[in-house]
Amino acid sequence: MEVSVGGKSIGLDCNSGEVSFLSHAHGDHVSGFKKKERIIASEETLALAGFGAERHSEEWIQLLDAGHILGSRQMYAELDGESVLYTGDFRVKNGIFGKGAAAKEADRLVVECTYGDPRFKLPDPFEVYSQIGKWVKENSGSIMLIGAYNLGKAQEIIRVLNEYSSIVPVVMQESERFSSVYAKYGIGLERAVVGTPEAEEVMKGGFVAIVPPKLANRGFARKLGDAFGRRALCAVATGWVMSMRHNADAAFPLSDHADFYDIVGYMDAVNPKRVDFVHGDGTHLEKKLQQKLGK
Ligand SMILES: [Zn+2]
């Protein structure tokens, strides 16, 4: 989508405006860019997206942490007495890599609402990290598969396993490309890439592997268990476990997005005159907002 501030148009996670802003490197946001030059984004985002290093900037546009994945930023633009804040994907709660997104007052807010339904009340990430640590400890000696998206969630779980369980997980090539960018920006992640001698060594005993979500199911775990002659379990780690059943032995409600209640608190702090909801269904939030405005 496109917003305009003080007569200038800005493409939000797309090329369409006079200037374009890329909030973070997840595929559904990167795919809005045909041209890869003159993009306003963090250096980390351009590196993860595989775009050139040429960053664009505008004095009237400010980037703020979004607490989502490495390099994720919110955008605040102010020009000729008008202001707009766009969250991109954001997490308000603090996580293992640092602080959550902070709000900034603006006239207009464009907010993502992936979990914009009141039935989503996600626990504190640190509670979920402990749950993961406990599950891994209880099943030590087994093979444990944890399903996680290759960018963001995989790195978060690698760090959780390093810190909470002193475990070096086995990781797939697909997530390794992103983990190496995390490492380049100073985020150390102890991991063993499948196919390397190090991973082979790790896989001689019970081990934890971080796999794409589609592989974290009981059928695949059973096959793997048969092949290795060891009990194999699988788990998923996503906010969607709050609303959907999963074919897994454990389900961890770990999300790098704000939940309904986070978004409501965040909207209060931004105190905008106008709100647009993107990436989800904003119906419930819209209702909440109208109640607040007494309409
Ligand atoms: Zn995202």
Side-chain angles (χ1 to χ4, degrees):
M1 99 180 247
E2 202 178 306
V3 289
S4 101
V5 192
K8 290 242 189 199
S9 61
I10 311 166
L12 302 179
D13 285 319
C14 66
N15 271 139
S16 70
E18 285 165 67
V19 294
S20 9
F21 168 68
L22 173 60
S23 61
H24 67 293
H26 273 150
D28 52 332
H29 294 255
V30 171
S31 62
F33 289 83
K34 303 277 174 289
K35 291 187 305 235
K36 296 179 177 169
E37 302 88 36
R38 290 178 59 82
I39 296 171
I40 297 177
S42 68
E43 196 185 318
E44 294 91 326
T45 291
L46 294 179
L48 287 167
F51 286 7
E54 189 214 339
R55 284 173 69 202
H56 185 65
S57 64
E58 296 281 346
E59 256 177 21
W60 48 283
I61 293 181
Q62 221 183 308
L63 302 187
L64 312 167
D65 276 350
H68 178 60
I69 63 167
L70 177 70
S72 63
R73 298 287 185 270
Q74 311 179 71
M75 183 211 72
Y76 175 80
E78 188 178 345
L79 193 63
D80 290 343
E82 284 178 10
S83 57
V84 177
L85 179 65
Y86 168 54
T87 61
D89 285 353
F90 75 135
R91 177 161 74 187
V92 173
K93 294 182 180 86
N94 298 338
I96 204 157
F97 294 133
K99 285 207 175 308
K104 184 173 170 75
E105 280 196 43
D107 300 327
R108 180 175 175 188
L109 170 65
V110 181
V111 61
E112 71 110 343
C113 58
T114 304
Y115 294 112
D117 188 301
R119 70 194 155 139
F120 290 109
K121 188 168 173 52
L122 297 165
D124 187 272
F126 290 91
E127 259 175 53
V128 188
Y129 301 157
S130 300
Q131 288 172 20
I132 294 172
K134 192 164 164 264
W135 184 73
V136 166
K137 191 174 171 196
E138 281 168 3
N139 295 295
S140 103
S142 304
I143 296 169
M144 287 164 268
L145 302 177
I146 302 181
Y149 292 110
N150 292 324
L151 170 55
K153 194 64 67 66
Q155 290 74 29
E156 188 174 10
I157 292 178
I158 294 171
R159 178 59 80 80
V160 168
L161 293 167
N162 294 166
E163 277 190 23
Y164 284 69
S165 311
S166 304
I167 277 178
V168 176
V170 174
V171 299
M172 306 295 122
Q173 244 350 303
E174 296 97 309
S175 67
E176 180 54 22
R177 176 167 89 76
F178 300 119
S179 295
S180 62
V181 179
Y182 271 64
K184 187 179 151 204
Y185 286 96
I187 298 184
L189 300 167
E190 297 286 327
R191 61 206 191 267
V193 185
V194 78
T196 62
E198 195 194 355
E200 265 164 43
E201 192 57 40
V202 170
M203 289 160 82
K204 282 180 181 161
F207 63 90
V208 183
I210 299 173
V211 298
K214 63 175 189 294
L215 292 183
N217 62 69
R218 289 203 180 97
F220 183 67
R222 197 179 308 122
K223 272 187 216 152
L224 205 66
D226 289 347
F228 280 84
R230 225 172 242 284
R231 187 170 78 127
L233 299 166
C234 59
V236 289
T238 164
W240 296 114
V241 303
M242 309 287 285
S243 69
M244 281 191 271
R245 288 173 59 86
H246 283 82
N247 176 22
D249 302 295
F252 303 111
L254 182 65
S255 175
D256 45 19
H257 290 270
D259 69 15
F260 175 83
Y261 304 88
D262 296 328
I263 300 171
V264 169
Y266 178 90
M267 287 197 302
D268 269 354
V270 176
N271 196 23
K273 296 189 189 86
R274 171 179 172 185
V275 183
D276 296 280
F277 299 100
V278 291
H279 302 299
D281 178 5
T283 320
H284 294 281
L285 288 160
E286 182 67 46
K287 219 184 275 169
K288 192 93 191 163
L289 191 66
Q290 297 304 333
Q291 280 168 5
K292 217 150 246 167
L293 298 171
K295 282 182 194 163

